[in-house]
Amino acid sequence: MAGRAPAAQESGFAAHRAGVDRLLASYRAIPREANVRLAKKTSNLFRARAKNTAPGLDVSGLTQVIAVDPQARTADVAGMTTYEDLVATTLRYGLAPLVVPQLKTITLGGAVTGLGIESTSFRSGLPHESVLEIDILTGSGEIITATPDNEYADLFRGFPNSYGTLGYSTRLKIELEPVLPYVALRHLRFHDLRELEATMDRIVADRAYAGERVDYLDGVVFTGDESYLTLGRQTDEPGPVSDYTDMDIFYRSIQHDGAEPKRDRLTIHDYLWRWDTDWFWCSRAFGTQNPKIRRFWPKRYRRSSFYWKLIALDHKYDIGDKIEARKGNPPRERVVQDIEVPIERTAEFLDWFLREIPIEPIWLCPLRLRDTDREQSNRPWPLYPLEPKRTYVNVGFWSAVPTTPGQQEGAANRAIEHKVSELDGHKSLYSDAYYGQDEFAALYGGAIYTELKKRYDPQHRLLDLYSKAVQRK
């Protein structure tokens, strides 16, 4: 930090040190034969996990923004701090993280050790690319500080997409960017997915469309002949703004029949959380989009964290399958996934998906790796090796599909995995995965991951990535 840290920042670091001490004490209390895991009540993972009878890591003291340096445009943040709390703090300085994942309770540490993405990713990459340094509790119980060029640079590069199998972040120093109070939106309608693909590619290259700057870019596909790109531009121009936290629903506001873009405005706060109120569109599964129900559904429960609790109850008691069984239907297969394919294969993937997998709408989010100048390797993040200087599109779809009796477990997910690999893409690992061990290693780090595991978790106190992501241990 430049100059003497203010008392509030000194207090923030003192509280953080106390939280780290509790974390280390909890690590020492875990039996040596037990796997080390977090004692965490909430999660944004959608894959099943084996129950853990051993005590977990106490991360209760690692949930705060430690300090913000508005001059340097950086923040020191404890690993379990939610983006909701992080954004609330940084917006007071007119700043925001370079990438803010869509859901409020995603943690900064989770977005870095997993993968996060949002509508700035076409210009700012993924959340781990704006990290300057990370304090990591490794499997050996040691806290090290990893940077891009120190002795732990291999862990810095290998930490993204490791999902807690190489360690847990206790503090991250991240870059911030200035933001203006409002976001002006344009919703462009397309009747042809190849036209959408080509337009998205041009916007990523030009960072502008029809003479207006584009600061944010994502899209929604409803059908093959109804899809949209939403273009956002930061502005300080005063004027009315929309509110999608009450009766109106954001994704429905995108739809229109006109050839000209539909325009809208949100505050920067409401733009960053535009998807959280209805968990994109998944709130419809709970009836929340029905106006008669929505009117009486408390606002504080219109958020992704509450819907996730309902999903957790469904998983625990198989409520959905029991309802289907009463109707005489077989169980449904959960298909909750985010994948990336090269932008030039986007329409091809969408055509296949709309034909084979009965799920809609579908979210689109273009991305390019931001960190292409450091001379580390041609693929600088080895556990999720996207190519520098190449544009990809994240495709998100979150629902369930009917199963056929006698069908292989995870048939729809397996088909998606095969198609994504065929198109030179990758799949995030926060949900169900069915890869064989050799294919998984080829896609997610291989020998590099093995070497990192040997160095930073020599006693195998942490699960390995295949066991965690595919074998659900």
Side-chain angles (χ1 to χ4, degrees):
M1 305 293 290
R4 179 175 173 80
Q9 293 181 356
E10 292 179 355
S11 175
F13 279 103
H16 177 67
R17 286 191 294 271
V20 171
D21 288 342
R22 291 205 298 277
L23 174 76
L24 291 172
S26 68
Y27 175 91
R28 291 190 289 268
I30 299 172
R32 292 200 60 80
E33 67 276 8
N35 287 122
V36 175
R37 295 187 180 184
L38 300 180
K40 190 176 174 221
K41 294 181 180 179
T42 60
S43 172
N44 283 285
L45 294 178
F46 276 85
R47 46 179 156 79
R49 292 178 291 175
K51 293 187 180 299
N52 188 29
T53 56
L57 292 173
D58 181 357
V59 294
S60 60
L62 302 177
T63 60
Q64 71 283 345
V65 179
I66 303 165
V68 175
D69 186 334
Q71 284 72 44
R73 295 178 182 168
T74 62
D76 287 272
V77 187
M80 299 299 157
T81 305
T82 65
Y83 272 93
E84 181 175 25
D85 291 341
L86 175 56
V87 166
T89 300
T90 62
L91 284 184
R92 294 200 290 266
Y93 298 91
L95 300 169
L98 274 63
V99 181
V100 178
Q102 313 85 350
L103 306 180
K104 292 178 176 179
T105 56
I106 293 175
T107 64
L108 177 59
V112 170
T113 194
L115 290 176
I117 192 168
E118 234 294 322
S119 58
T120 56
S121 289
F122 77 102
R123 60 180 174 86
S124 296
L126 300 172
H128 55 266
E129 296 191 272
S130 52
V131 174
L132 301 171
E133 62 183 38
I134 322 174
D135 291 347
I136 299 171
L137 172 66
T138 66
S140 59
E142 176 187 16
I143 293 182
I144 59 98
T145 299
T147 72
D149 50 13
N150 73 356
E151 61 183 307
Y152 305 115
D154 59 345
L155 183 57
F156 184 90
R157 310 300 297 186
F159 195 69
N161 209 47
S162 62
Y163 282 91
T165 66
L166 296 175
Y168 295 101
S169 57
T170 62
R171 180 191 62 90
L172 304 97
K173 190 181 191 70
I174 63 169
E175 298 176 68
L176 304 173
E177 67 176 6
V179 291
L180 296 175
Y182 307 103
V183 179
L185 301 178
R186 287 176 290 170
H187 304 304
L188 313 182
R189 176 165 180 170
F190 297 87
H191 299 275
D192 180 84
L193 291 171
R194 278 155 185 79
E195 183 186 356
L196 176 144
E197 175 187 287
T199 303
M200 183 162 45
D201 200 18
R202 288 196 303 272
I203 294 170
V204 170
D206 298 342
R207 299 195 182 181
Y209 178 80
E212 287 186 42
R213 187 182 75 250
V214 176
D215 299 315
Y216 304 98
L217 175 63
D218 66 348
V220 177
V221 176
F222 290 90
T223 65
D225 59 6
E226 185 189 2
S227 58
Y228 300 85
L229 291 177
T230 293
L231 287 50
R233 174 177 56 85
Q234 291 186 31
T235 178
D236 57 4
E237 301 163 7
V241 293
S242 297
D243 177 7
Y244 296 107
T245 66
D246 197 13
M247 293 300 293
D248 294 330
I249 298 168
F250 178 71
Y251 84 100
R252 289 301 182 193
S253 76
I254 293 171
Q255 295 180 277
H256 64 93
D257 294 325
E260 293 299 312
K262 181 180 180 182
R263 293 186 177 262
D264 199 356
R265 282 169 50 92
L266 294 171
T267 66
I268 181 64
H269 174 276
D270 285 358
Y271 176 79
L272 293 175
W273 302 127
R274 68 202 182 284
W275 292 122
D276 191 84
T277 299
D278 285 285
W279 208 6
F280 284 83
W281 33 79
C282 298
S283 66
R284 64 186 177 181
F286 312 108
T288 320
Q289 295 182 25
N290 182 324
K292 295 179 181 177
I293 296 174
R294 193 177 185 88
R295 193 176 310 278
F296 297 102
W297 192 290
K299 247 189 176 183
R300 66 183 180 278
Y301 295 143
R302 278 187 229 144
R303 50 181 287 140
S304 61
S305 57
F306 183 73
Y307 302 134
W308 201 98
K309 290 178 181 178
L310 297 179
I311 290 289
L313 288 172
D314 174 56
H315 292 170
K316 184 175 181 179
Y317 298 108
D318 296 323
I319 297 170
D321 287 348
K322 289 174 181 175
I323 292 172
E324 291 298 322
R326 288 183 179 179
K327 297 177 182 178
N329 297 329
R332 294 171 65 83
E333 178 186 349
R334 181 176 62 193
V335 182
V336 177
Q337 304 286 355
D338 280 77
I339 63 95
E340 273 88 34
V341 292
I343 194 167
E344 67 274 13
R345 313 301 294 271
T346 303
E348 181 180 354
F349 176 80
L350 291 170
D351 282 340
W352 174 87
F353 187 90
L354 290 168
R355 186 171 63 251
E356 300 293 334
I357 310 293
I359 291 176
E360 54 75 28
I362 305 163
W363 185 59
L364 305 179
C365 187
L367 70 142
R368 286 175 67 90
L369 290 183
R370 173 177 179 246
D371 188 5
T372 59
D373 296 330
R374 292 168 181 160
E375 298 177 2
Q376 298 289 334
S377 71
N378 290 329
R379 291 192 168 194
W381 308 101
L383 270 62
Y384 205 77
L386 303 177
E387 293 182 14
K389 304 183 187 302
R390 188 177 192 183
T391 302
Y392 294 82
V393 176
N394 176 279
V395 185
F397 35 92
W398 316 291
S399 190
V401 299
T403 59
T404 301
Q407 195 175 47
Q408 185 181 26
E409 181 192 2
N413 284 284
R414 292 174 192 269
I416 292 164
E417 289 176 356
H418 178 77
K419 190 64 178 180
V420 170
S421 293
E422 177 187 311
L423 299 180
D424 197 23
H426 272 75
K427 185 180 90 166
S428 297
L429 296 176
Y430 69 84
S431 191
D432 300 308
Y434 294 89
Y435 296 108
Q437 200 153 1
D438 291 342
E439 183 181 10
F440 185 87
L443 290 170
Y444 299 104
I448 295 175
Y449 177 74
T450 299
E451 290 304 312
L452 289 168
K453 195 71 172 167
K454 287 179 181 177
R455 182 178 181 190
Y456 295 103
D457 186 24
Q459 303 302 317
H460 299 284
R461 299 296 309 278
L462 306 168
L463 288 168
D464 70 82
L465 189 56
Y466 187 77
S467 296
K468 199 167 191 178
V470 180
Q471 296 178 324
R472 306 175 188 176
K473 293 184 179 179

